[in-house]
Amino acid sequence: MDEAQSLMFEVPWLFKRMPDIVDDLKTESSVMQAATTRECLPYLSGQKNFERNSYGVPKLRREGHVEFLQSWLGDLEPDFVSLDAGRPWIVYWSISGLGMLGYDMKQFKDGVVANVEQCQHPEGGIAGGFGHAAHLATTYATLLSLVSVGDESALDCVNRKTMWQWLGKMKQLDGGFTMCHGGEEDARGAFCAVIILSLLNLPLELPSDSPARVKGDETFLTGLPEWISRCQTYEGGISASPGTEAHGAYTFCALGALCVMGAPYEMINRYLDLDALVSWLTSRQYAPEGGLAGRANKLVDGCYSHWIGGCWALVEAAVRGPDSDGLLGQPSLWHREGLTRYILCCAQADKGGLRDKPSKHPDGYHSCYNLAGLSAAQNVYIFDRSLIGTDDPIQGNGLTAPFKWTNQPFIDVPCEEGDRVSPYHPVFVVPLGKAEAARRYFASKGGF
């Protein structure tokens, strides 16, 4: 390698050495943290022999990832039987990851529609498999897949009336939502429920048999922002439910739910301590790895490239406030380069697929959410009220806030054009424009 190439491939010092300050107290957590750092350093510092771009970072191995994700949509090994109730998630992770890699997803429409027809419960909602109970998580995953691949004929397979009636039974007196009949009440329920209500343009009025209908004037949104507010912990992050530990995935769900109900600079600032939230999110990114961890004293994990990385689009919009055109020369609140390096250096498996960290095997879950995190690092997302006019049919029954997002490419990351993935909606996590098209269609239908 000549001198010019050596300079071109120079890796910043931050990613080449152990932390300068290390606590001398050894605990199980600190020992695992040091081991993980040592595991990642050879990948980050360029000691592994990968094909690199002009920034000295491994190129996105697009073809290998496409082949890996396609294999998850075929016949799976018998060991996957333990994931039978999560089949809608396997489909969503695979389709979503392929979409971010620029792959045409329309060919999967018939399979997704067939899954809806098999798993849609007669009393509303969508189950993980035929004969299973309906669940908010699998309903959410199935609808996102349908929106990603489908046209109007595919969208018609959803029974919106029974969905509305079923969601009414998930709504609780304290404002939150349970995941299923008799299930846990947590931030996932809040997020999944408002996503479904918004996408399908369902009435916000509660059905008459909803357990949360006491006074008679309650809606699906009654008490929900206040319930989410009670989930914010002393650390600044957001927990599954009031009184539990702050967690990256629940934080994204809570922020996403608020941003379905209104503008991020209105809802996040009104119902959360924004300064504490920013502090907690900032603390989830580690050096030298550059990756993100889901909780305090936990290790970096590629899936949090989305669960934490995806929070930043919503939080930065809350910080910037209304009438913003993006960063406009302002520094990013988080280290986009660090996450980009972690994903491309440490999370890519040699033969395709993405993983938690170098010692782990790739899977559909980590492939999807690493790619979503890469998209978050490569784009600035802007909340723009002007995107939806008063006469736009998307107005429908309300919950129009999530249809007012656009994006700008973020240039200052170590990526060439071939390393970029498609921008994805920061709330719905589907291709930009897909959720908007589905909502317009359902709004045009009027009632059930």
Side-chain angles (χ1 to χ4, degrees):
M1 181 182 296
D2 59 29
E3 184 177 355
Q5 289 175 312
S6 177
L7 289 173
M8 179 178 67
F9 287 164
E10 182 61 30
V11 178
W13 66 268
L14 178 65
F15 306 104
K16 294 194 296 186
R17 67 190 194 195
M18 297 291 286
D20 291 335
I21 301 175
V22 179
D23 193 331
D24 290 335
L25 177 64
K26 285 191 176 182
T27 65
E28 182 179 357
S29 294
S30 67
V31 170
M32 293 175 65
Q33 174 58 49
T36 299
T37 303
R38 287 192 294 269
E39 174 187 335
C40 292
L41 277 177
Y43 293 85
L44 293 163
S45 60
Q47 297 175 34
K48 296 293 182 178
N49 189 25
F50 299 129
E51 185 180 3
R52 297 180 180 274
N53 63 22
S54 58
Y55 298 93
V57 175
K59 293 184 176 183
L60 179 68
R61 297 194 272 282
R62 190 180 304 270
E63 292 78 11
H65 301 329
V66 166
E67 184 176 348
F68 177 82
L69 287 168
Q70 284 178 321
S71 72
W72 275 59
L73 290 169
D75 294 332
L76 299 176
E77 298 294 327
D79 290 346
F80 279 85
V81 71
S82 62
L83 296 177
D84 184 56
R87 280 187 291 167
W89 281 110
I90 294 175
V91 173
Y92 168 70
W93 297 328
S94 305
I95 287 176
S96 188
L98 288 168
M100 282 180 268
L101 292 166
Y103 195 84
D104 184 4
M105 299 178 289
K106 292 180 181 178
Q107 64 179 290
F108 304 115
K109 182 186 78 171
D110 291 345
V112 174
V113 170
N115 187 62
V116 175
E117 292 172 342
Q118 290 180 3
C119 299
Q120 188 162 219
H121 198 280
E123 295 181 3
I126 299 171
F130 179 75
H132 297 187
H135 195 279
L136 268 174
T138 50
T139 302
Y140 163 88
T142 301
L143 289 179
L144 294 189
S145 295
L146 189 65
V147 166
S148 296
V149 305
D151 52 20
E152 293 182 356
S153 63
L155 297 174
D156 278 335
C157 69
V158 179
N159 189 325
R160 294 168 62 237
K161 185 172 183 178
T162 59
M163 183 76 74
W164 175 70
Q165 293 169 330
W166 176 72
L167 284 175
K169 295 180 174 66
M170 301 304 106
K171 176 69 175 180
Q172 301 300 300
L173 286 169
D174 62 1
F177 288 83
T178 56
M179 295 298 292
C180 60
H181 286 296
E184 65 274 35
E185 179 184 17
D186 59 34
R188 295 175 304 156
F191 179 55
C192 293
V194 295
I195 287 287
I196 296 164
L197 289 164
S198 180
L199 270 178
L200 299 184
N201 189 45
L202 298 177
L204 296 184
E205 178 186 4
L206 283 172
S208 59
D209 60 349
S210 171
R213 181 182 274 275
V214 178
K215 298 178 182 177
D217 59 353
E218 294 90 349
T219 74
F220 280 104
L221 307 186
T222 300
L224 183 56
E226 293 81 5
W227 184 88
I228 291 172
S229 179
R230 295 196 296 274
C231 293
Q232 187 170 26
T233 77
Y234 70 94
E235 296 176 273
I238 302 170
S239 61
S241 56
T244 55
E245 182 185 10
H247 187 283
Y250 294 116
T251 298
F252 177 80
C253 288
L255 292 174
L258 289 174
C259 291
V260 171
M261 291 184 278
Y265 44 77
E266 294 174 353
M267 299 299 291
I268 294 176
N269 284 284
R270 182 183 305 166
Y271 291 103
L272 299 174
D273 182 335
L274 183 57
D275 290 342
L277 175 62
V278 169
S279 176
W280 183 83
L281 286 171
T282 303
S283 300
R284 303 284 71 76
Q285 189 164 24
Y286 295 171
E289 300 99 305
L292 302 169
R295 291 179 285 163
N297 294 319
K298 294 296 182 180
L299 306 175
V300 293
D301 182 337
C303 72
Y304 292 106
S305 301
H306 165 65
W307 295 122
I308 294 289
C311 291
W312 282 116
L314 312 180
V315 169
E316 285 190 329
V319 171
R320 290 195 301 265
D323 306 318
S324 171
D325 292 325
L327 291 178
L328 292 176
Q330 303 173 32
S332 179
L333 291 179
W334 60 295
H335 205 287
R336 295 167 183 263
E337 177 185 350
L339 181 59
T340 301
R341 286 181 178 273
Y342 181 80
I343 294 170
L344 294 178
C345 293
C346 300
Q348 295 194 93
D350 296 349
K351 296 181 180 180
L354 293 100
R355 58 199 177 192
D356 167 350
K357 53 180 67 69
S359 59
K360 304 294 185 179
H361 295 293
D363 57 57
Y365 171 79
H366 286 91
S367 295
C368 173
Y369 290 130
N370 268 299
L371 292 170
L374 190 58
S375 184
Q378 293 173 347
N379 291 278
V380 176
Y381 290 95
I382 303 158
F383 184 85
D384 184 352
R385 285 186 184 274
S386 67
L387 286 179
I388 305 297
T390 55
D391 58 347
D392 192 316
I394 209 170
Q395 291 290 352
N397 290 325
L399 296 181
T400 60
F403 305 104
K404 300 177 182 179
W405 289 88
T406 185
N407 76 298
Q408 294 175 347
F410 187 82
I411 304 302
D412 195 18
V413 287
C415 293
E416 295 177 339
E417 190 60 32
D419 305 318
R420 288 190 170 267
V421 295
S422 300
Y424 256 45
H425 194 290
V427 178
F428 291 115
V429 201
V430 296
L432 281 169
K434 289 286 189 177
E436 293 84 346
R439 168 62 180 242
R440 283 193 174 93
Y441 176 64
F442 288 124
S444 71
K445 293 170 69 68
F448 298 123

